Amino acid sequence: MMLLGPVAVLCILAATAVSVPPQEKRVHHQPDLSSHVHDDAHGYQYDHEAFLGKEEAKTFDQLTPEESKARLAKIVDRIDTDKDGFISHAELHYWIKHRQRRYIEDNVNKHWKDYDKNHDDKIAWEEYKNTTYGFYLGEDFDDVEDKATYKAMLARDERRFKAADRDADGIATRSEFTAFLHPEEFDHMKDVVVQETIEDIDKNKDGKINIDEYIGDMYTPEDGENEPEWVHTEKKHFSEFRDTNKDGYLDAGEVAHWILPGEVDHADNEAKHLIHETDADKDGKVTKKEILANWNMFVGSQATNYGEDLTKKHDEL
């Protein structure tokens, strides 16, 4: 029986989902809002995917214009969380962020029942630990070939669970469990992401990363192989950009700058763009009437079908 903590599982999923250059595998970039170029002069596919999410946008492209507008009207009611009849920038920004994180919520929901053994809609640390490691716990991993690795995985999972458990009651709500499984998405979990990264790369366990460890995490030379050009480039990046204090190592702060780069908030920019384009009276917010008057910017329909494969069925929002 092989056990995997959340870190190992997520690494496997990432490796199978998309091939990334070895020098990029540690960097947590914000996902693109859309696979399309943002160019309203040639269509609104970028806006549709940003507003609805990539998969749901395909569903709308199968609908008649009347059906699309009717569903959009219902979505507007959901976005207007304070029910004042207006969609503010904050409300639209939150909605777009939520749609882009839906794949994360789907992943958490998929595995929720595996861990919520007592069906109380919460997951206690003991539930997670017993489900993931229970087969070995009674014998303290004595039957496991690599005992030290499994004990380290358990300790790492417990530390991450405690960081996600914001009220420190030993029980994770759905939001807290999402932070446990996807810590890179939550500001209060960033220290954990940095610490785990250092532990993965820091082979001599001095609490920091030297240039050999940095390169070794990306590249293992074969006998007689010439070092690729990108490895030379990464060595230069380490010395000139990553190691900001020039002490020859990457500490926690420098690792954070490397793997969690401050990036443009694309959801924020898209919310501003949609409001700017639809706010007829220029009061800085939009009404349902203003949105529906520009419905084809927010959602697609059969009339705006660009010929993608739209046969896949999806649940209604």
Side-chain angles (χ1 to χ4, degrees):
M1 176 180 178
M2 183 175 182
L3 296 173
L4 292 175
V7 179
V9 171
L10 290 175
C11 288
I12 290 172
L13 288 175
T16 57
V18 61
S19 177
V20 297
Q23 63 268 42
E24 286 289 318
K25 70 178 183 178
R26 295 287 180 183
V27 182
H28 298 283
H29 291 294
Q30 290 186 19
D32 294 330
L33 297 185
S34 170
S35 56
H36 296 272
V37 175
H38 196 183
D39 183 1
D40 290 352
H42 292 88
Y44 298 121
Q45 289 299 96
Y46 179 98
D47 299 302
H48 297 169
E49 291 188 356
F51 181 72
L52 295 168
K54 295 178 183 179
E55 293 303 313
E56 198 64 35
K58 294 179 182 179
T59 298
F60 273 77
D61 283 343
Q62 300 176 65
L63 305 176
T64 65
E66 292 72 22
E67 289 171 327
S68 283
K69 283 187 276 190
R71 288 200 191 185
L72 176 58
K74 293 179 181 179
I75 291 173
V76 173
D77 290 337
R78 292 172 60 188
I79 298 174
D80 182 18
T81 53
D82 62 8
K83 306 305 177 187
D84 66 350
F86 296 95
I87 303 300
S88 67
H89 169 266
E91 288 171 327
L92 187 54
H93 180 220
Y94 178 83
W95 169 263
I96 294 171
K97 283 284 230 187
H98 172 74
R99 300 312 297 170
Q100 297 304 317
R101 284 184 171 180
R102 189 173 182 180
Y103 77 96
I104 293 175
E105 295 171 4
D106 288 346
N107 175 260
V108 172
N109 292 337
K110 180 180 178 181
H111 298 291
W112 186 260
K113 291 181 181 178
D114 294 337
Y115 297 107
D116 183 17
K117 295 302 184 182
N118 64 359
H119 308 295
D120 64 349
D121 205 34
K122 297 178 182 178
I123 296 175
W125 164 246
E126 292 299 321
E127 287 179 301
Y128 175 82
K129 180 179 71 173
N130 290 334
T131 300
T132 307
Y133 300 98
F135 182 80
Y136 296 115
L137 285 176
E139 301 180 20
D140 196 26
F141 298 101
D142 286 339
D143 290 341
V144 183
E145 184 174 336
D146 192 353
K147 179 178 177 180
T149 296
Y150 279 95
K151 293 186 77 170
M153 285 171 59
L154 174 60
R156 182 158 159 159
D157 278 355
E158 184 172 16
R159 182 182 63 201
R160 187 194 283 197
F161 193 97
K162 287 179 177 178
D165 178 21
R166 304 202 75 177
D167 57 4
D169 64 353
I171 299 172
T173 62
R174 200 170 290 262
S175 175
E176 289 171 334
F177 196 65
T178 302
F180 172 65
L181 290 181
H182 298 273
E184 72 285 351
E185 295 290 331
F186 295 83
D187 287 342
H188 69 280
M189 297 292 290
K190 288 184 177 179
D191 287 347
V192 171
V193 176
V194 170
Q195 185 174 4
E196 290 179 358
T197 301
I198 292 175
E199 289 172 351
D200 287 343
I201 303 174
D202 174 26
K203 300 306 181 186
N204 65 10
K205 304 305 176 187
D206 63 353
K208 50 193 177 182
I209 299 171
N210 62 41
I211 192 167
D212 292 332
E213 292 167 333
Y214 175 80
I215 296 299
D217 183 58
M218 307 174 185
Y219 172 68
T220 303
E222 301 289 340
D223 289 341
E225 179 188 10
N226 291 326
E227 194 171 79
E229 184 61 34
W230 69 263
V231 174
H232 291 289
T233 301
E234 280 304 315
K235 287 180 177 179
K236 188 175 182 180
H237 284 174
F238 180 96
S239 300
E240 296 185 5
F241 304 113
R242 309 269 188 248
D243 179 20
T244 56
N245 65 4
K246 309 304 178 187
D247 67 350
Y249 301 92
L250 301 187
D251 58 27
E254 290 164 333
V255 170
H257 283 296
W258 164 37
I259 67 170
L260 299 168
E263 296 179 332
V264 173
D265 187 341
H266 299 296
D268 178 65
N269 284 345
E270 179 65 8
K272 291 175 180 175
H273 167 68
L274 290 174
I275 289 176
H276 175 77
E277 294 297 326
T278 58
D279 181 17
D281 59 8
K282 302 304 176 186
D283 63 351
K285 50 192 175 182
V286 290
T287 62
K288 181 189 287 188
K289 182 178 179 181
E290 288 173 324
I291 290 175
L292 293 179
N294 297 274
W295 68 274
N296 61 332
M297 174 172 277
F298 290 83
V299 299
S301 72
Q302 293 171 355
T304 56
N305 188 326
Y306 278 72
E308 295 96 340
D309 177 12
L310 305 176
T311 59
K312 188 175 179 181
K313 301 295 183 182
H314 297 278
D315 293 336
E316 184 171 342
L317 276 168

